[in-house]
Amino acid sequence: MPLLVVALVAFIAGIALGGGSPELDAAKRFLSAWEAGDYDAMHAELTPSAAAEYPLDSFTGLYEEAAMTATATSVDAGDAEGPSADQVQAPVTVKTEAFGEVSETVAIPVADGAVAWRPELAFPGLRDGEKLDRRTRAPPRAAILAADGTPLAKGPASARTSPLGPSAIDIAGEMGVAKGEQRDAAVAAGFPSGTLVGTSGLELAFDSRLAGIPGGQLLAVGSGDRVLADTKPTPGEPVRTTIEPGLQETTVGALGDLFGGIAVLDATNGEVKALAGIAFSSPQPPGSVFKIVTTTAALEAGAVSLDDQFEVVTEAVVEGRAISNAGNAPCGGSFTESFADSCNSVFAPLGAEVGGEKLLATAEDFGFNSPPELYAAEATAAVDPPPSTIPDPIGSDLEVAVTAIGQGQVLASPLQMASVAQTIAAGGKRSPTPLVTEPGLGPPEGTTEVTDAQTAATVRDLMVANVNTGTGEAANIPEVQVAGKTGTAELGPDPDAPAPGPGESPALEENAWFTAFAPAEKPKLALAVMVVDAAGSGGEVAAPIAAEIFSNGL
């Protein structure tokens, strides 16, 4: 035989033996698309009769249902071999959340260069006429712990308890029946229908960590039940917080039945030591506690000094609008006196002089317009604490003036204002406010330099004056010197108040605020108290609450 003919025969034989076939190529493309979760591409490899019997929507639905039942996270297909007779075989491994890895050799029927698909191909190990099902059970739920290991929540999901009783709920949160996306996520993770989940607080923020991984049996259901995988539940991992149990009880007790919020921080590093009520979940107008921010901006800009004197008046006029002092009281004198007595007539025009750009930049350095730094971002997938906000840009001189006294569109949470106090207490350096400090669960470390130590010391002295001789006198305690600032934020006319008489102004709904740190010279705790729709000013309502917390906490 001529050499050329021998070479040609060998080449053709090589194609026949090792070059593949249309059926094998179709099966390989099918498997590759399955790995990618591309159901459109998988369906495109079906024979015309299979594609007609199983349209794309029903085809996709069978795969999605199987993946959800199995809690599948990925598909890995090995090398395909064949075709042998009318099928191609390939090992397929599906990784799952609840059942580990499920590996089977899948026989893919092929014909005419395409996949002659059947429903049992929706999951490895299924046989003709079988569907995937599961029986799962949840593991024990892990505990939420205070800094010293005291449980803030422990026990089964249906009966969480704590030695702190109701005082722990504001931190730990509550359990309930999952709804909407949270229910879908729980089912997709393998939990039985109706499993209780965290619905607020840390129970919600760290639900997946606390809940653990369900276990049970993955079944092929047809004429009988076959077990494809059998696993034990994996218990959840506890979450340790920065909370001090005694201080937490004191803080919750001090707020009592009032509607509002309190945040208590470690003045040296920003760690959250206690939370009560709506401490970070519902920012409100801060009123005059925001004057700490305005004062910092004004001192840095050289717009004011402690030697400045201000006329004693009842109001200031900015762009034609009169901005009154609380109760239309005369207010002024030195800047220290003006801060201590919280003179709107001084701070509104001072804010306009500082300007919106500088006031905004200073507020953002203090943490406004940024999410609260409570825990790692990945832990808050189900929880999105709202930021404290200031308009950007603020706008006209009048809008800047109103913002400078904590009114207008500025909103703050007790956590934010406690952080403002902590920044001044720490010499102008703002720390994150972690509630959880375990590696990988807490916020990033490091501080933000908001202002220099000299400016912070000046603001501290002004806050001491507010407590000693000004509107914050009710925060005085015999144990240590407190540095603080009161605030009374106007929310609007009180709908429950009697109608005003002729010439009278309508009664207003007001929030009472007080933010402070103590001891003033060597700060240990920083806090902010907010009482919504309070029956009194910040000095009358919020400052005494702070005094109680400092007395017990220090």
Side-chain angles (χ1 to χ4, degrees):
M1 182 181 296
L3 183 60
L4 180 60
V5 175
V6 172
L8 180 60
V9 171
F11 177 72
I12 294 173
I15 293 177
L17 292 174
S21 70
E23 288 78 13
L24 179 59
D25 291 342
K28 286 182 176 180
R29 291 193 298 269
F30 181 88
L31 291 167
S32 179
W34 193 0
E35 288 181 314
D38 188 345
Y39 300 127
D40 287 7
M42 293 171 69
H43 192 265
E45 299 299 333
L46 271 56
T47 61
S49 59
E53 186 174 358
Y54 304 102
L56 178 60
D57 286 349
S58 60
F59 174 87
T60 299
L62 287 169
Y63 274 95
E64 290 180 340
E65 181 181 0
M68 184 188 70
T69 300
T71 68
T73 59
S74 67
V75 176
D76 181 26
D79 294 334
E81 296 181 355
S84 174
D86 56 355
Q87 65 181 21
V88 171
Q89 292 191 340
V92 176
T93 299
V94 177
K95 293 182 179 179
T96 75
E97 288 278 0
F99 306 103
E101 292 187 357
V102 181
S103 299
E104 292 285 346
T105 297
V106 175
I108 303 173
V110 290
D112 302 325
V115 175
W117 191 84
R118 296 193 296 265
E120 62 266 26
L121 288 175
F123 196 83
L126 290 179
R127 298 171 184 169
D128 185 22
E130 291 181 333
K131 292 184 65 176
L132 206 61
D133 202 355
R134 72 188 188 196
R135 299 192 195 105
T136 57
R137 60 188 184 276
R141 191 172 181 87
I144 300 172
L145 305 173
D148 65 356
T150 299
L152 299 173
K154 65 176 182 177
S158 59
R160 302 286 269 176
T161 62
S162 169
L164 275 63
S167 297
I169 292 177
D170 290 342
I171 301 292
E174 298 180 309
M175 304 293 296
V177 176
K179 298 178 181 179
E181 292 182 2
Q182 195 179 12
R183 176 195 58 216
D184 296 343
V187 171
F191 287 93
S193 179
T195 297
L196 297 180
V197 297
T199 56
S200 64
L202 293 179
E203 297 279 25
L204 173 58
F206 292 95
D207 186 66
S208 59
R209 176 185 174 94
L210 295 165
I213 301 173
Q217 294 181 325
L218 186 63
L219 305 170
V221 178
S223 56
D225 294 352
R226 291 189 304 110
V227 178
L228 300 181
D230 192 347
T231 57
K232 294 181 179 180
T234 302
E237 296 182 60
V239 172
R240 186 178 292 269
T241 70
T242 57
I243 294 298
E244 292 186 5
L247 189 56
Q248 176 67 19
E249 289 185 292
T250 293
T251 301
V252 172
L255 185 62
D257 295 331
L258 296 172
F259 179 55
I262 304 174
V264 184
L265 308 179
D266 185 314
T268 62
N269 60 20
E271 287 184 357
V272 176
K273 295 304 178 183
L275 295 173
I278 52 172
F280 60 84
S281 59
S282 183
Q284 302 281 320
S288 292
V289 291
F290 188 79
K291 289 172 182 173
I292 297 173
V293 178
T294 304
T295 298
T296 302
L299 290 170
E300 287 187 335
V304 72
S305 72
L306 298 186
D307 296 329
D308 290 346
Q309 295 289 320
F310 298 88
E311 185 180 1
V312 177
V313 294
T314 60
E315 65 182 30
V317 178
V318 180
E319 290 191 339
R321 174 178 164 181
I323 299 176
S324 302
N325 294 320
N328 293 313
C331 202
S334 70
F335 186 63
T336 298
E337 292 171 324
S338 299
F339 185 96
D341 294 334
S342 200
C343 301
N344 291 341
S345 57
V346 171
F347 276 87
L350 180 61
E353 182 179 350
V354 169
E357 186 175 339
K358 174 61 177 176
L359 188 60
L360 169 63
T362 302
E364 290 187 335
D365 284 345
F366 271 108
F368 281 79
N369 292 342
S370 296
E373 295 179 292
L374 287 168
Y375 24 65
E378 59 267 25
T380 65
V383 181
D384 188 16
S388 296
T389 55
I390 183 172
D392 180 10
I394 298 176
S396 67
D397 283 352
L398 176 59
E399 291 170 324
V400 178
V402 172
T403 301
I405 61 172
Q407 295 285 168
Q409 298 182 53
V410 62
L411 298 173
S413 67
L415 178 66
Q416 172 61 58
M417 294 315 303
S419 178
V420 168
Q422 185 272 326
T423 301
I424 299 301
K429 292 181 171 60
R430 175 172 62 87
S431 297
T433 55
L435 180 54
V436 178
T437 57
E438 292 182 72
L441 301 184
E445 296 181 354
T447 60
T448 299
E449 185 168 344
V450 176
T451 190
D452 59 64
Q454 182 177 350
T455 300
T458 301
V459 177
R460 176 202 62 204
D461 293 344
L462 293 169
M463 293 172 69
V464 168
N466 179 260
V467 172
N468 287 347
T469 62
T471 56
E473 285 184 305
N476 263 311
I477 58 175
E479 296 89 349
V480 297
Q481 176 65 62
V482 175
K485 181 69 188 77
T486 57
T488 307
E490 297 178 354
L491 305 181
D494 186 348
D496 299 324
E504 294 180 342
S505 299
L508 299 175
E509 285 186 322
E510 295 177 326
N511 286 355
W513 283 85
F514 188 70
T515 186
F517 57 86
E521 290 298 328
K522 294 184 178 180
K524 294 182 179 179
L525 295 178
L527 60 72
V529 178
M530 175 188 73
V531 179
V532 176
D533 193 12
S537 67
E540 296 167 331
V541 177
I545 293 174
E548 179 182 348
I549 295 170
F550 280 136
S551 288
N552 288 298
L554 294 172

